[in-house]
Amino acid sequence: MDIRNIAIIAHVDHGKTTLVDRILHTTKVFRENQDSGELIMDNNDLERERGITIFSKNAAVNYKGIKINVIDTPGHSDFGGEVERVLKMADGVILLVDAFEGPMPQTRFVLQKALQLNLKPIVVINKVDKPNCRPDEVHDAVFELFFNLDATEEQLDFPTYYGSGKNGWFNDSLTEIEGIEPLLDGILKHVPEPVVNEGPVQMQITSLDYSSFLGRIAVGKVTRGSIKEAQQIALVQADGSIKKSKVKELYVFEGMGKRRTEEVVAGDLCAVVGLEDFNIGDTICDIDVPEALPVIAVDEPTMSMLFSINTSPFFGKEGKFVTSRHLRDRLFKETEKNLALKVEDSDSADSFLVYGRGILHLGVLIETMRREGYELTVGQPQVLVKTIDGKKHEPYENLVVDVPADFSGKVIDLVTQRKGEMLIMESKGEMQHLEFEIPSRGLIGLRSQMLTNTAGEAVMAHRFIDYKPWKGVIPGRNNGVLISKNQATTTAYSIDKLQDRGSFFVDPGEDVYIGQIIAEHIKPGDLVVNATEGKKLTNMRASGSDDSVRIVPKILMTLEECMEYIQDDECIEVTPKHIRLRKTLLNEEDRRKQSKSMKA
């Protein structure tokens, strides 16, 4: 069979999508004069804005008469659910490692999954054109990582390629050449052909696609037999139930798109149109011999958030979808394709508990929903707590920070305040490499504090390890907030008078409501203020005082920064045009009563 199925895995920002660009250009997927742009596979608006891959994607190229199915995967641990399922479609993996940073926490996570599935690894050490790069040391570190992950002798004997995706060359030595042909030859040589079992058709659905014309499309790898257009098939679901269905249309991947075909044989990836009510993990099989493949197991979520309808006075001004029914339908629809996400109904009919892998995982969902026209309120992220042997346990993470040596003391101080324990401290060129074990709770809000204290120089990454005993109280935000006293439009006159009390999140001329958080207080404790008072006009001229208003621009926070900033009595109002911070109870009297009852 002239097919190779390969997934590209790596830590975030090590160059996966750039490598896919090079493969697409080298195999002439585009015409000579066609402007394809960069990071071709990141075609989602959110991915382009953030510069990260969120969804795994497929492309197919032809090299020396052999079809190579390439799967680009996300590098961030919050999207690990995407990686776990698409690895089922591959027979080999390209492990991409930065020549300076070496193996990072996410490299370990995805490599472990690949080795468990017995995939053939090819190691590519990228960015060897960087200053301070250390390809030989990184190669040794990768070998050590393989060894620590109990790789077989065959897996330990991995081929290694060096190069620079940006400059468009890869070679099996450090000699710079033109082009990436040695790497493509290596894929043909080292990645095995798909293993094909004899027998009737079997295919596990590992991914979902959607088309406004065709509806939901099932994507997966045919592991046995062949699948044909108009064929009657059985769909075996996770609970063991069997549904009869029919294949309406069949597509294989070609270049960046799909091509319609009449038959797909075992070993190839395909997209099936016409199935109803299917989920990821279901098996398509012969109608007479319905044998299911093992269900895809995905790691459990580690964090939860309460999603509610928008209850602010500005409710319904901007969004198209504002009711609890809209919110519920959208969240449950998301769980069909987002395996690492779970949704549960809460005690209130207007609120839903959403479980995810981390702040970024949930943040991307909220951002997608607001762009689709939803209005909602989200509460403070909470880590999931388990009771093991009668004791309270919480998730712990391995935190890796690379920072200039001058700032390492500040980083250690920040992490230890949040109950982190240092495991490793070593020098990498001019940078200090620090590794900690820290409760997941301690990571919430840590990134922004760390970037402030290290002048933006710290590079941080983390991955989930395991549940361990509860570490006690972790200090939250030190400062209180300034809360709006009334509903009106802010004025420069009022904000100017209040600027010495705190840093503002709103500019003059913005509409605010009672209970909205408009600034961070310079001290602990909250303060209710009036930022909407206008200057009383008289016919007397005050010499020189009118032109002295100097307003500091407002602090702009991203959605993830807001999620990390809020405390348990606060929430975020998310609408298509605005992200506002507010108190859960807008009325000051209600907040007083609640704090008294909690003290009692």
Side-chain angles (χ1 to χ4, degrees), residues 225-269:
S226 67
I227 189 166
K228 300 182 180 74
E229 244 185 36
Q231 183 179 346
Q232 297 285 342
I233 52 107
L235 188 69
V236 184
Q237 301 196 296
D239 58 4
S241 61
I242 298 171
K243 284 183 179 172
K244 292 185 178 178
S245 198
K246 185 182 176 183
V247 177
K248 284 185 185 165
E249 292 177 18
L250 203 53
Y251 292 84
V252 287
F253 293 95
E254 192 171 87
M256 292 290 297
K258 300 184 190 79
R259 172 174 62 82
R260 193 166 173 180
T261 184
E262 289 184 0
E263 183 179 11
V264 178
V265 292
D268 205 353
L269 311 186

mmCIF file of all heavy atoms in Angstrom, residues 225-269:
data_model
loop_
_atom_site.group_PDB
_atom_site.id
_atom_site.type_symbol
_atom_site.label_atom_id
_atom_site.label_comp_id
_atom_site.label_asym_id
_atom_site.label_seq_id
_atom_site.Cartn_x
_atom_site.Cartn_y
_atom_site.Cartn_z
ATOM 1 N N GLY A 225 -10.933 -3.993 5.971
ATOM 2 C CA GLY A 225 -11.856 -4.071 4.843
ATOM 3 C C GLY A 225 -11.854 -2.797 4.027
ATOM 4 O O GLY A 225 -10.872 -2.063 3.987
ATOM 5 N N SER A 226 -12.972 -2.513 3.347
ATOM 6 C CA SER A 226 -13.081 -1.270 2.577
ATOM 7 C C SER A 226 -14.504 -0.743 2.725
ATOM 8 O O SER A 226 -15.439 -1.489 2.986
ATOM 9 C CB SER A 226 -12.758 -1.522 1.105
ATOM 10 O OG SER A 226 -13.759 -2.346 0.537
ATOM 11 N N ILE A 227 -14.630 0.562 2.571
ATOM 12 C CA ILE A 227 -15.934 1.212 2.733
ATOM 13 C C ILE A 227 -16.323 1.827 1.388
ATOM 14 O O ILE A 227 -15.481 2.409 0.710
ATOM 15 C CB ILE A 227 -15.863 2.240 3.890
ATOM 16 C CG1 ILE A 227 -17.226 2.780 4.242
ATOM 17 C CG2 ILE A 227 -14.917 3.349 3.622
ATOM 18 C CD1 ILE A 227 -17.248 3.519 5.580
ATOM 19 N N LYS A 228 -17.586 1.644 0.975
ATOM 20 C CA LYS A 228 -18.032 2.096 -0.351
ATOM 21 C C LYS A 228 -19.190 3.071 -0.217
ATOM 22 O O LYS A 228 -19.906 3.077 0.776
ATOM 23 C CB LYS A 228 -18.505 0.894 -1.191
ATOM 24 C CG LYS A 228 -17.459 -0.188 -1.439
ATOM 25 C CD LYS A 228 -18.058 -1.277 -2.327
ATOM 26 C CE LYS A 228 -17.053 -2.385 -2.617
ATOM 27 N NZ LYS A 228 -16.808 -3.264 -1.475
ATOM 28 N N GLU A 229 -19.352 3.880 -1.274
ATOM 29 C CA GLU A 229 -20.506 4.773 -1.324
ATOM 30 C C GLU A 229 -21.791 3.958 -1.418
ATOM 31 O O GLU A 229 -21.803 2.901 -2.047
ATOM 32 C CB GLU A 229 -20.386 5.704 -2.542
ATOM 33 C CG GLU A 229 -20.251 7.134 -2.123
ATOM 34 C CD GLU A 229 -20.251 8.118 -3.285
ATOM 35 O OE1 GLU A 229 -20.967 7.888 -4.261
ATOM 36 O OE2 GLU A 229 -19.529 9.120 -3.188
ATOM 37 N N ALA A 230 -22.864 4.436 -0.790
ATOM 38 C CA ALA A 230 -24.190 3.782 -0.805
ATOM 39 C C ALA A 230 -24.209 2.450 -0.050
ATOM 40 O O ALA A 230 -25.170 1.694 -0.154
ATOM 41 C CB ALA A 230 -24.680 3.580 -2.236
ATOM 42 N N GLN A 231 -23.148 2.153 0.700
ATOM 43 C CA GLN A 231 -23.086 0.884 1.451
ATOM 44 C C GLN A 231 -23.943 0.981 2.720
ATOM 45 O O GLN A 231 -23.971 2.002 3.392
ATOM 46 C CB GLN A 231 -21.618 0.615 1.826
ATOM 47 C CG GLN A 231 -21.402 -0.698 2.554
ATOM 48 C CD GLN A 231 -19.919 -0.904 2.884
ATOM 49 O OE1 GLN A 231 -19.058 -0.207 2.358
ATOM 50 N NE2 GLN A 231 -19.614 -1.849 3.736
ATOM 51 N N GLN A 232 -24.651 -0.103 3.016
ATOM 52 C CA GLN A 232 -25.394 -0.194 4.274
ATOM 53 C C GLN A 232 -24.401 -0.602 5.368
ATOM 54 O O GLN A 232 -23.673 -1.573 5.198
ATOM 55 C CB GLN A 232 -26.498 -1.267 4.173
ATOM 56 C CG GLN A 232 -27.565 -0.965 3.144
ATOM 57 C CD GLN A 232 -28.528 0.120 3.594
ATOM 58 O OE1 GLN A 232 -28.615 0.412 4.781
ATOM 59 N NE2 GLN A 232 -29.229 0.731 2.645
ATOM 60 N N ILE A 233 -24.366 0.173 6.456
ATOM 61 C CA ILE A 233 -23.388 -0.143 7.524
ATOM 62 C C ILE A 233 -24.079 -0.121 8.887
ATOM 63 O O ILE A 233 -25.192 0.378 9.030
ATOM 64 C CB ILE A 233 -22.193 0.862 7.516
ATOM 65 C CG1 ILE A 233 -22.710 2.309 7.536
ATOM 66 C CG2 ILE A 233 -21.287 0.658 6.339
ATOM 67 C CD1 ILE A 233 -22.550 3.023 8.794
ATOM 68 N N ALA A 234 -23.376 -0.653 9.882
ATOM 69 C CA ALA A 234 -23.866 -0.590 11.264
ATOM 70 C C ALA A 234 -22.977 0.386 12.028
ATOM 71 O O ALA A 234 -21.753 0.403 11.843
ATOM 72 C CB ALA A 234 -23.795 -1.971 11.899
ATOM 73 N N LEU A 235 -23.597 1.211 12.873
ATOM 74 C CA LEU A 235 -22.855 2.176 13.693
ATOM 75 C C LEU A 235 -22.944 1.693 15.143
ATOM 76 O O LEU A 235 -24.014 1.709 15.734
ATOM 77 C CB LEU A 235 -23.486 3.559 13.540
ATOM 78 C CG LEU A 235 -22.753 4.729 14.170
ATOM 79 C CD1 LEU A 235 -21.450 5.019 13.446
ATOM 80 C CD2 LEU A 235 -23.626 5.980 14.163
ATOM 81 N N VAL A 236 -21.802 1.234 15.684
ATOM 82 C CA VAL A 236 -21.798 0.744 17.071
ATOM 83 C C VAL A 236 -21.376 1.900 17.975
ATOM 84 O O VAL A 236 -20.292 2.460 17.816
ATOM 85 C CB VAL A 236 -20.822 -0.454 17.243
ATOM 86 C CG1 VAL A 236 -20.916 -0.993 18.662
ATOM 87 C CG2 VAL A 236 -21.139 -1.547 16.246
ATOM 88 N N GLN A 237 -22.244 2.247 18.926
ATOM 89 C CA GLN A 237 -21.970 3.415 19.778
ATOM 90 C C GLN A 237 -21.285 2.996 21.085
ATOM 91 O O GLN A 237 -21.183 1.810 21.401
ATOM 92 C CB GLN A 237 -23.278 4.160 20.034
ATOM 93 C CG GLN A 237 -23.880 4.612 18.697
ATOM 94 C CD GLN A 237 -24.935 5.669 18.845
ATOM 95 O OE1 GLN A 237 -25.964 5.413 19.436
ATOM 96 N NE2 GLN A 237 -24.700 6.841 18.297
ATOM 97 N N ALA A 238 -20.838 4.007 21.838
ATOM 98 C CA ALA A 238 -20.044 3.744 23.052
ATOM 99 C C ALA A 238 -20.799 2.887 24.067
ATOM 100 O O ALA A 238 -20.202 2.092 24.787
ATOM 101 C CB ALA A 238 -19.625 5.062 23.685
ATOM 102 N N ASP A 239 -22.124 3.048 24.125
ATOM 103 C CA ASP A 239 -22.900 2.265 25.104
ATOM 104 C C ASP A 239 -23.255 0.860 24.604
ATOM 105 O O ASP A 239 -23.977 0.109 25.269
ATOM 106 C CB ASP A 239 -24.175 3.025 25.485
ATOM 107 C CG ASP A 239 -25.051 3.333 24.265
ATOM 108 O OD1 ASP A 239 -24.695 2.878 23.150
ATOM 109 O OD2 ASP A 239 -26.086 4.007 24.421
ATOM 110 N N GLY A 240 -22.758 0.512 23.393
ATOM 111 C CA GLY A 240 -23.004 -0.837 22.864
ATOM 112 C C GLY A 240 -24.194 -0.932 21.939
ATOM 113 O O GLY A 240 -24.413 -1.970 21.296
ATOM 114 N N SER A 241 -25.008 0.148 21.849
ATOM 115 C CA SER A 241 -26.180 0.090 20.956
ATOM 116 C C SER A 241 -25.735 0.145 19.497
ATOM 117 O O SER A 241 -24.707 0.734 19.166
ATOM 118 C CB SER A 241 -27.129 1.242 21.270
ATOM 119 O OG SER A 241 -26.464 2.468 21.059
ATOM 120 N N ILE A 242 -26.542 -0.471 18.623
ATOM 121 C CA ILE A 242 -26.187 -0.565 17.197
ATOM 122 C C ILE A 242 -27.280 0.116 16.376
ATOM 123 O O ILE A 242 -28.464 -0.132 16.568
ATOM 124 C CB ILE A 242 -26.041 -2.046 16.772
ATOM 125 C CG1 ILE A 242 -24.909 -2.705 17.574
ATOM 126 C CG2 ILE A 242 -25.773 -2.159 15.281
ATOM 127 C CD1 ILE A 242 -24.810 -4.201 17.393
ATOM 128 N N LYS A 243 -26.838 1.020 15.470
ATOM 129 C CA LYS A 243 -27.797 1.688 14.580
ATOM 130 C C LYS A 243 -27.448 1.322 13.142
ATOM 131 O O LYS A 243 -26.267 1.258 12.776
ATOM 132 C CB LYS A 243 -27.665 3.209 14.711
ATOM 133 C CG LYS A 243 -28.266 3.769 15.964
ATOM 134 C CD LYS A 243 -28.126 5.267 15.926
ATOM 135 C CE LYS A 243 -28.741 5.909 17.154
ATOM 136 N NZ LYS A 243 -28.433 7.326 17.212
ATOM 137 N N LYS A 244 -28.485 1.124 12.321
ATOM 138 C CA LYS A 244 -28.240 0.864 10.897
ATOM 139 C C LYS A 244 -28.214 2.206 10.183
ATOM 140 O O LYS A 244 -28.992 3.103 10.492
ATOM 141 C CB LYS A 244 -29.338 -0.032 10.329
ATOM 142 C CG LYS A 244 -29.271 -1.440 10.900
ATOM 143 C CD LYS A 244 -30.271 -2.361 10.267
ATOM 144 C CE LYS A 244 -30.131 -3.771 10.851
ATOM 145 N NZ LYS A 244 -31.112 -4.702 10.302
ATOM 146 N N SER A 245 -27.307 2.322 9.233
ATOM 147 C CA SER A 245 -27.175 3.584 8.514
ATOM 148 C C SER A 245 -26.667 3.319 7.104
ATOM 149 O O SER A 245 -26.368 2.175 6.751
ATOM 150 C CB SER A 245 -26.214 4.506 9.271
ATOM 151 O OG SER A 245 -26.392 5.821 8.853
ATOM 152 N N LYS A 246 -26.548 4.399 6.337
ATOM 153 C CA LYS A 246 -26.097 4.247 4.949
ATOM 154 C C LYS A 246 -25.082 5.340 4.633
ATOM 155 O O LYS A 246 -25.252 6.497 5.024
ATOM 156 C CB LYS A 246 -27.308 4.365 4.013
ATOM 157 C CG LYS A 246 -26.971 4.106 2.551
ATOM 158 C CD LYS A 246 -28.208 4.278 1.693
ATOM 159 C CE LYS A 246 -27.871 4.113 0.215
ATOM 160 N NZ LYS A 246 -29.050 4.337 -0.644
ATOM 161 N N VAL A 247 -24.028 4.953 3.909
ATOM 162 C CA VAL A 247 -23.001 5.922 3.500
ATOM 163 C C VAL A 247 -23.534 6.652 2.267
ATOM 164 O O VAL A 247 -23.717 6.046 1.212
ATOM 165 C CB VAL A 247 -21.677 5.204 3.164
ATOM 166 C CG1 VAL A 247 -20.649 6.209 2.680
ATOM 167 C CG2 VAL A 247 -21.163 4.454 4.377
ATOM 168 N N LYS A 248 -23.797 7.966 2.391
ATOM 169 C CA LYS A 248 -24.320 8.716 1.241
ATOM 170 C C LYS A 248 -23.175 9.143 0.315
ATOM 171 O O LYS A 248 -23.259 8.992 -0.894
ATOM 172 C CB LYS A 248 -25.082 9.947 1.725
ATOM 173 C CG LYS A 248 -26.462 9.607 2.282
ATOM 174 C CD LYS A 248 -27.218 10.866 2.626
ATOM 175 C CE LYS A 248 -28.553 10.529 3.295
ATOM 176 N NZ LYS A 248 -29.134 11.703 3.953
ATOM 177 N N GLU A 249 -22.150 9.736 0.922
ATOM 178 C CA GLU A 249 -20.996 10.190 0.121
ATOM 179 C C GLU A 249 -19.721 9.849 0.867
ATOM 180 O O GLU A 249 -19.713 9.750 2.100
ATOM 181 C CB GLU A 249 -21.068 11.707 -0.113
ATOM 182 C CG GLU A 249 -22.198 12.131 -1.017
ATOM 183 C CD GLU A 249 -22.288 13.648 -1.163
ATOM 184 O OE1 GLU A 249 -21.286 14.339 -0.842
ATOM 185 O OE2 GLU A 249 -23.346 14.139 -1.578
ATOM 186 N N LEU A 250 -18.633 9.705 0.105
ATOM 187 C CA LEU A 250 -17.357 9.288 0.678
ATOM 188 C C LEU A 250 -16.260 10.186 0.126
ATOM 189 O O LEU A 250 -16.223 10.441 -1.089
ATOM 190 C CB LEU A 250 -17.114 7.825 0.269
ATOM 191 C CG LEU A 250 -16.186 6.955 1.101
ATOM 192 C CD1 LEU A 250 -16.581 6.961 2.560
ATOM 193 C CD2 LEU A 250 -16.202 5.532 0.563
ATOM 194 N N TYR A 251 -15.384 10.670 0.991
ATOM 195 C CA TYR A 251 -14.321 11.573 0.549
ATOM 196 C C TYR A 251 -12.977 11.108 1.108
ATOM 197 O O TYR A 251 -12.920 10.589 2.224
ATOM 198 C CB TYR A 251 -14.570 13.000 1.056
ATOM 199 C CG TYR A 251 -15.768 13.673 0.443
ATOM 200 C CD1 TYR A 251 -17.044 13.457 0.959
ATOM 201 C CD2 TYR A 251 -15.640 14.514 -0.648
ATOM 202 C CE1 TYR A 251 -18.158 14.063 0.405
ATOM 203 C CE2 TYR A 251 -16.744 15.138 -1.214
ATOM 204 C CZ TYR A 251 -18.003 14.906 -0.692
ATOM 205 O OH TYR A 251 -19.092 15.502 -1.254
ATOM 206 N N VAL A 252 -11.908 11.299 0.324
ATOM 207 C CA VAL A 252 -10.547 11.118 0.855
ATOM 208 C C VAL A 252 -9.883 12.490 0.881
ATOM 209 O O VAL A 252 -10.322 13.412 0.201
ATOM 210 C CB VAL A 252 -9.696 10.138 0.004
ATOM 211 C CG1 VAL A 252 -10.149 8.725 0.214
ATOM 212 C CG2 VAL A 252 -9.698 10.519 -1.457
ATOM 213 N N PHE A 253 -8.830 12.627 1.680
ATOM 214 C CA PHE A 253 -8.134 13.914 1.765
ATOM 215 C C PHE A 253 -7.155 14.053 0.607
ATOM 216 O O PHE A 253 -6.478 13.106 0.228
ATOM 217 C CB PHE A 253 -7.399 14.015 3.112
ATOM 218 C CG PHE A 253 -8.351 14.087 4.266
ATOM 219 C CD1 PHE A 253 -8.710 12.943 4.968
ATOM 220 C CD2 PHE A 253 -8.921 15.294 4.636
ATOM 221 C CE1 PHE A 253 -9.610 12.999 6.018
ATOM 222 C CE2 PHE A 253 -9.829 15.360 5.689
ATOM 223 C CZ PHE A 253 -10.165 14.217 6.371
ATOM 224 N N GLU A 254 -7.118 15.271 0.047
ATOM 225 C CA GLU A 254 -6.187 15.552 -1.052
ATOM 226 C C GLU A 254 -5.754 17.007 -0.921
ATOM 227 O O GLU A 254 -6.605 17.899 -0.961
ATOM 228 C CB GLU A 254 -6.890 15.315 -2.392
ATOM 229 C CG GLU A 254 -5.920 15.309 -3.553
ATOM 230 C CD GLU A 254 -6.606 14.850 -4.842
ATOM 231 O OE1 GLU A 254 -7.183 15.700 -5.521
ATOM 232 O OE2 GLU A 254 -6.571 13.649 -5.156
ATOM 233 N N GLY A 255 -4.453 17.235 -0.764
ATOM 234 C CA GLY A 255 -3.966 18.595 -0.545
ATOM 235 C C GLY A 255 -4.593 19.150 0.715
ATOM 236 O O GLY A 255 -4.641 18.500 1.745
ATOM 237 N N MET A 256 -5.142 20.355 0.599
ATOM 238 C CA MET A 256 -5.787 20.983 1.760
ATOM 239 C C MET A 256 -7.271 20.652 1.840
ATOM 240 O O MET A 256 -7.950 21.043 2.766
ATOM 241 C CB MET A 256 -5.631 22.505 1.652
ATOM 242 C CG MET A 256 -4.220 22.982 1.809
ATOM 243 S SD MET A 256 -3.662 22.771 3.479
ATOM 244 C CE MET A 256 -4.777 23.841 4.343
ATOM 245 N N GLY A 257 -7.787 19.976 0.831
ATOM 246 C CA GLY A 257 -9.232 19.723 0.800
ATOM 247 C C GLY A 257 -9.556 18.240 0.735
ATOM 248 O O GLY A 257 -8.764 17.382 1.135
ATOM 249 N N LYS A 258 -10.755 17.960 0.193
ATOM 250 C CA LYS A 258 -11.206 16.569 0.098
ATOM 251 C C LYS A 258 -11.608 16.278 -1.349
ATOM 252 O O LYS A 258 -12.030 17.177 -2.075
ATOM 253 C CB LYS A 258 -12.425 16.324 1.006
ATOM 254 C CG LYS A 258 -12.197 16.581 2.469
ATOM 255 C CD LYS A 258 -13.440 16.206 3.268
ATOM 256 C CE LYS A 258 -13.353 16.665 4.703
ATOM 257 N NZ LYS A 258 -13.653 18.073 4.863
ATOM 258 N N ARG A 259 -11.508 15.004 -1.745
ATOM 259 C CA ARG A 259 -11.931 14.584 -3.083
ATOM 260 C C ARG A 259 -12.916 13.436 -2.941
ATOM 261 O O ARG A 259 -12.681 12.497 -2.178
ATOM 262 C CB ARG A 259 -10.697 14.134 -3.890
ATOM 263 C CG ARG A 259 -11.026 13.484 -5.227
ATOM 264 C CD ARG A 259 -9.738 13.210 -5.997
ATOM 265 N NE ARG A 259 -8.851 12.278 -5.298
ATOM 266 C CZ ARG A 259 -8.986 10.951 -5.346
ATOM 267 N NH1 ARG A 259 -9.981 10.389 -6.008
ATOM 268 N NH2 ARG A 259 -8.115 10.171 -4.719
ATOM 269 N N ARG A 260 -14.005 13.517 -3.679
ATOM 270 C CA ARG A 260 -15.045 12.472 -3.584
ATOM 271 C C ARG A 260 -14.541 11.201 -4.258
ATOM 272 O O ARG A 260 -13.863 11.253 -5.278
ATOM 273 C CB ARG A 260 -16.326 12.959 -4.257
ATOM 274 C CG ARG A 260 -17.512 12.073 -3.935
ATOM 275 C CD ARG A 260 -18.811 12.729 -4.305
ATOM 276 N NE ARG A 260 -19.923 11.796 -4.136
ATOM 277 C CZ ARG A 260 -21.170 12.098 -4.382
ATOM 278 N NH1 ARG A 260 -21.493 13.312 -4.798
ATOM 279 N NH2 ARG A 260 -22.129 11.209 -4.205
ATOM 280 N N THR A 261 -14.873 10.067 -3.661
ATOM 281 C CA THR A 261 -14.422 8.779 -4.208
ATOM 282 C C THR A 261 -15.513 7.735 -3.976
ATOM 283 O O THR A 261 -16.446 7.961 -3.195
ATOM 284 C CB THR A 261 -13.100 8.349 -3.535
ATOM 285 O OG1 THR A 261 -12.636 7.165 -4.141
ATOM 286 C CG2 THR A 261 -13.280 8.103 -2.043
ATOM 287 N N GLU A 262 -15.402 6.604 -4.677
ATOM 288 C CA GLU A 262 -16.433 5.563 -4.546
ATOM 289 C C GLU A 262 -16.072 4.518 -3.504
ATOM 290 O O GLU A 262 -16.935 3.853 -2.948
ATOM 291 C CB GLU A 262 -16.660 4.885 -5.904
ATOM 292 C CG GLU A 262 -17.362 5.817 -6.881
ATOM 293 C CD GLU A 262 -17.692 5.151 -8.191
ATOM 294 O OE1 GLU A 262 -17.380 3.949 -8.345
ATOM 295 O OE2 GLU A 262 -18.255 5.833 -9.064
ATOM 296 N N GLU A 263 -14.749 4.362 -3.249
ATOM 297 C CA GLU A 263 -14.339 3.332 -2.292
ATOM 298 C C GLU A 263 -13.058 3.752 -1.585
ATOM 299 O O GLU A 263 -12.172 4.349 -2.193
ATOM 300 C CB GLU A 263 -14.112 1.995 -3.019
ATOM 301 C CG GLU A 263 -13.762 0.849 -2.069
ATOM 302 C CD GLU A 263 -13.556 -0.477 -2.794
ATOM 303 O OE1 GLU A 263 -13.473 -0.487 -4.038
ATOM 304 O OE2 GLU A 263 -13.462 -1.498 -2.095
ATOM 305 N N VAL A 264 -12.970 3.459 -0.293
ATOM 306 C CA VAL A 264 -11.740 3.720 0.463
ATOM 307 C C VAL A 264 -11.303 2.405 1.095
ATOM 308 O O VAL A 264 -12.079 1.731 1.777
ATOM 309 C CB VAL A 264 -11.972 4.775 1.578
ATOM 310 C CG1 VAL A 264 -10.690 4.998 2.369
ATOM 311 C CG2 VAL A 264 -12.446 6.091 0.981
ATOM 312 N N VAL A 265 -10.036 2.032 0.848
ATOM 313 C CA VAL A 265 -9.544 0.751 1.369
ATOM 314 C C VAL A 265 -8.873 0.959 2.721
ATOM 315 O O VAL A 265 -8.520 2.076 3.083
ATOM 316 C CB VAL A 265 -8.549 0.081 0.383
ATOM 317 C CG1 VAL A 265 -9.271 -0.356 -0.871
ATOM 318 C CG2 VAL A 265 -7.395 1.019 0.058
ATOM 319 N N ALA A 266 -8.686 -0.135 3.439
ATOM 320 C CA ALA A 266 -8.089 -0.089 4.779
ATOM 321 C C ALA A 266 -6.726 0.587 4.739
ATOM 322 O O ALA A 266 -5.949 0.394 3.807
ATOM 323 C CB ALA A 266 -7.964 -1.499 5.325
ATOM 324 N N GLY A 267 -6.464 1.398 5.775
ATOM 325 C CA GLY A 267 -5.172 2.091 5.874
ATOM 326 C C GLY A 267 -5.269 3.560 5.537
ATOM 327 O O GLY A 267 -4.450 4.361 5.959
ATOM 328 N N ASP A 268 -6.294 3.956 4.771
ATOM 329 C CA ASP A 268 -6.419 5.357 4.367
ATOM 330 C C ASP A 268 -7.381 6.087 5.312
ATOM 331 O O ASP A 268 -8.225 5.478 5.964
ATOM 332 C CB ASP A 268 -6.939 5.442 2.927
ATOM 333 C CG ASP A 268 -6.532 6.756 2.257
ATOM 334 O OD1 ASP A 268 -5.978 7.634 2.955
ATOM 335 O OD2 ASP A 268 -6.769 6.908 1.033
ATOM 336 N N LEU A 269 -7.228 7.418 5.364
ATOM 337 C CA LEU A 269 -8.150 8.244 6.144
ATOM 338 C C LEU A 269 -9.278 8.700 5.228
ATOM 339 O O LEU A 269 -9.046 8.962 4.052
ATOM 340 C CB LEU A 269 -7.428 9.485 6.705
ATOM 341 C CG LEU A 269 -6.104 9.272 7.424
ATOM 342 C CD1 LEU A 269 -5.631 10.582 8.039
ATOM 343 C CD2 LEU A 269 -6.217 8.211 8.505
#
